[in-house]
Amino acid sequence: MNPAQVDAYLRRLGVQRPASPTADALRELHLRHLQTVPFENLSIHLGEEIVLEENRLLEKVVGAGRGGFCYELNGLFGALLGALGFEVALLAARVYGDEGRLGIPYDHLALRVGTVDGGVWLADVGFGTHSHYPLAYEERGEQRDPGGTFRVVASGPDAAGVQGGTFGAGSAEQGDLDVFRNGEPEYRLETRPRVLGDFVAGAWWHSTSPASHFTRSLVCSRLTDDGGRVTLSGRGLTVTGADGTRDTRELTTDEEVLAVYRERFGIELGAVPTMRRSA
């Protein structure tokens, strides 16, 4: 990512270039990303190709003012952080589903980020409803955040009885970790660093499989400046306050839907997306 691209990305987020890659700078960038770049799967239902390449993601998120899902959002955010001097590792995760079942390999992409003031953080701007700020990667107790109470803990064996491997004492790569929110497991994180191309198969599966929740739903969501959330699911608009109060209404016309995409999410569309029917 060249300096002009970094500056354009920062303008998209509405922040100044940080003087140094500190924990405070990371917190600001993380929060502003959640507030300005929506979590959305519109490309799947608009017939748009999802390409996990930095320049293509910049074109989409920065150039076209769009959002994306985890591979796109965390993949591009990781590139921005790296260009700003943070130490960044892309990590693969498997999301917990019904009855505690783990999803496919490369189900999710999250970031391990090191800062010059000695911190190591779990950053994730691509999971939808999650922590507003990065989580302390090496902390094993409760971490309170506006998005809930989180824990990052060593995982147990998976359904096949396999324990995530360890990579040596003192290493940041100490085997699989489970991320909990409000007492419920969200995903199992592998600590071995990956590259963006490793996630292509996962992105393809989520974009095409009838078993993927992304092919069976149409969503656009972002954090609001007051700590709430605005979400458009199909034609259903839900505004959640920071106190948890919810206001939901159904949009009846295409004009209303397009106006919400434009005014609430900054996304200009020529036609209303409709959910693609999977075979």
Side-chain angles (χ1 to χ4, degrees):
M1 193 176 297
N2 64 44
Q5 291 169 327
V6 169
D7 290 342
Y9 200 158
L10 294 175
R11 285 195 298 272
R12 169 89 162 96
L13 302 183
V15 297
Q16 298 295 316
R17 181 186 285 262
S20 182
T22 63
D24 284 343
L26 176 62
R27 283 171 59 85
E28 180 187 24
L29 290 164
H30 196 277
L31 180 64
R32 286 300 296 156
H33 209 287
L34 292 169
Q35 292 172 335
T36 56
V37 182
F39 177 88
E40 49 105 332
N41 67 343
L42 305 184
S43 289
I44 294 171
H45 303 286
L46 290 170
E48 299 172 348
E49 185 181 13
I50 295 171
V51 181
L52 298 187
E53 295 174 359
E54 186 177 304
N55 284 336
R56 291 288 293 273
L57 295 177
L58 280 165
E59 289 172 7
K60 180 178 181 179
V61 173
V62 178
R66 288 281 301 279
F69 59 167
C70 68
Y71 311 105
E72 300 169 289
L73 299 183
N74 282 325
L76 192 59
F77 188 48
L80 173 68
L81 294 177
L84 291 172
F86 294 91
E87 295 183 5
V88 181
L90 276 58
L91 303 181
R94 299 172 69 189
V95 178
Y96 280 95
D98 296 339
E99 301 178 357
R101 288 192 297 268
L102 287 166
I104 64 168
Y106 301 99
D107 201 13
H108 180 59
L109 188 164
L111 304 171
R112 184 174 64 225
V113 183
T115 60
V116 292
D117 41 3
V120 182
W121 304 91
L122 175 61
D124 193 340
V125 297
F127 197 69
T129 303
H130 193 61
S131 66
H132 296 192
Y133 297 102
L135 301 174
Y137 183 83
E138 297 171 333
E139 171 60 50
R140 298 296 174 256
E142 290 189 347
Q143 302 188 49
R144 299 191 181 278
D145 178 272
T149 300
F150 292 83
R151 291 184 69 210
V152 181
V153 300
S155 67
D158 63 17
V162 176
Q163 179 77 44
T166 59
F167 300 91
S171 169
E173 300 160 37
Q174 288 289 318
D176 293 352
L177 301 172
D178 280 340
V179 179
F180 284 77
R181 175 177 178 263
N182 296 335
E184 297 294 326
E186 292 201 309
Y187 53 78
R188 177 162 293 185
L189 194 67
E190 297 179 5
T191 57
R192 173 185 171 184
R194 305 290 183 175
V195 296
L196 189 57
D198 291 339
F199 296 87
V200 169
W204 175 84
W205 187 89
H206 275 301
S207 302
T208 61
S209 173
S212 167
H213 61 275
F214 288 114
T215 62
R216 294 182 281 115
S217 66
L218 183 61
V219 65
C220 186
S221 183
R222 68 168 180 85
L223 197 68
T224 55
D225 291 349
D226 64 358
R229 179 166 290 274
V230 57
T231 301
L232 184 59
S233 296
R235 290 180 177 266
L237 176 64
T238 300
V239 179
T240 305
D243 59 359
T245 57
R246 292 163 63 94
D247 176 53
T248 301
R249 64 186 178 94
E250 194 75 9
L251 306 179
T252 57
T253 68
D254 287 0
E255 288 74 17
E256 285 182 290
V257 175
L258 293 174
V260 166
Y261 279 121
R262 181 175 61 253
E263 295 166 8
R264 297 279 193 163
F265 302 103
I267 295 176
E268 292 280 356
L269 296 175
V272 173
T274 56
M275 196 167 69
R276 187 188 69 186
R277 298 297 175 187
S278 298

